[in-house]
């Protein structure tokens, strides 16, 4: 449902499998979609010629209507969680920006989310809470860096009602070790009490 912005410098490309031509740019772009599938599709910016540093490519969502106000709710204006996966691998990576554009707004304001530079050869997830006050669009902008090893990719964009929730924290080995010691202490205490009742 996303469309290419007609006022930018170039377009995002829909692709599956590897973006990189190992003969020319072996060290940029993903080799699969974010799930690891070579059959799945994602969008990316191709930074080879004729692209030059600073060129911008923008994908624009359709308009979304905000949820009706809930008189009993505490969230005003309503909140949404805008999420996507990104891949930013290569020594010439530029910038990936995410914007909120509300109805009637002629220009983009400061990005809601922005990241620049090489982030390694892996997909990562971004989530940002947005609070629109009218019908809105989300915009993803890729900006070409200083060279051809700068392909930026995005995948699986989501928009859900409510604030973004943090992923559950990982249980560390120390926490597991501490809890097992507590259980051992508890079991020893119970056995001691049972022995005392005999």
């Amino acid at each position: 449902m996303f469309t290419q912005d007609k006022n930018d410098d170039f377009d995002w490309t829909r692709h599956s499998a590897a973006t990189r031509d190992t003969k020319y740019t072996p060290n940029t772009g993903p080799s699969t979609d974010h799930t690891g599938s070579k059959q799945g599709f994602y969008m990316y910016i191709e930074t080879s010629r004729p692209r030059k540093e600073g060129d911008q490519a923008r994908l624009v969502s359709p308009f979304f209507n905000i949820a009706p106000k809930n008189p009993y709710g505490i969230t005003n204006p309503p909140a949404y969680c805008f999420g996507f996966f990104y891949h930013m691998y290569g020594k010439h990576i530029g910038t990936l920006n995410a914007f909120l554009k509300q109805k009637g707004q002629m220009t983009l304001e400061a990005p809601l989310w922005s990241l620049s530079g090489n982030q390694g050869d892996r997909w990562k997830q971004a989530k940002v809470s947005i609070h629109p006050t009218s019908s809105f669009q989300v915009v993803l902008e890729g900006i070409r860096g200083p060279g051809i090893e700068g392909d930026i990719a995005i995948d699986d964009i989501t928009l859900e009602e409510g604030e973004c929730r943090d992923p559950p924290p990982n249980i560390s080995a120390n926490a597991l070790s501490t809890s097992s010691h507590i259980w051992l202490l508890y079991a020893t205490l119970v056995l001691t009490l049972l022995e005392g009742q005999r």
Side-chain angles (χ1 to χ4, degrees):
M1 296 189 303
F2 278 69
T3 56
Q4 306 280 356
D5 188 335
K6 292 178 176 50
N7 299 313
D8 57 7
D9 303 307
F10 69 112
D11 287 345
W12 287 81
T13 302
R14 184 173 184 259
H15 198 75
S16 65
T19 67
R20 52 184 175 244
D21 180 338
T22 53
K23 184 177 175 187
Y24 299 108
T25 52
N27 301 310
T28 191
S31 54
T32 66
D33 71 2
H34 99 269
T35 67
S37 168
K38 288 191 180 283
Q39 284 73 44
F41 285 88
Y42 54 86
M43 301 294 284
Y44 83 104
I45 59 167
E46 173 55 64
T47 56
S48 300
R49 288 187 189 97
R51 301 282 61 91
K52 58 188 184 300
E53 187 171 2
D55 280 359
Q56 302 168 349
R58 285 186 290 273
L59 277 178
V60 183
S61 78
F63 272 101
F64 297 102
N65 292 319
I66 61 173
K69 290 183 181 174
N70 178 353
Y72 306 106
I74 56 171
T75 304
N76 193 13
Y80 297 88
C81 182
F82 173 48
F84 57 94
F85 287 85
Y86 63 91
H87 189 284
M88 298 172 69
Y89 170 56
K91 66 182 180 183
H92 301 134
I93 291 291
T95 302
L96 179 61
N97 293 318
F99 297 93
L100 172 67
K101 185 177 181 186
Q102 300 196 72
K103 192 170 189 175
Q105 184 180 334
M106 299 310 292
T107 59
L108 294 175
E109 295 178 0
L112 301 165
W113 182 95
S114 185
L115 190 62
S116 298
N118 186 359
Q119 305 299 313
D121 189 8
R122 63 190 163 278
W123 287 96
K124 296 180 181 180
Q125 188 176 28
K127 286 187 174 183
V128 61
S129 293
I130 59 175
H131 304 89
T133 55
S134 64
S135 297
F136 66 96
Q137 296 170 292
V138 289
V139 179
L140 285 164
E141 175 186 67
I143 302 176
R144 198 236 198 213
I148 62 172
E149 292 182 14
D151 294 357
I152 297 173
I154 55 173
D155 198 6
D156 286 353
I157 300 167
T158 58
L159 186 67
E160 300 170 342
E161 283 191 42
E163 295 280 344
C164 295
R165 289 181 171 71
D166 292 329
N170 292 331
I171 298 174
S172 68
N174 289 343
L176 288 174
S177 173
T178 303
S179 64
S180 62
H181 283 98
I182 290 170
W183 278 108
L184 280 172
L185 181 62
Y186 179 74
T188 304
L189 184 62
V190 168
L191 288 173
T192 304
L193 290 172
L194 289 174
E195 284 292 321
Q197 289 181 351
R198 288 187 183 183

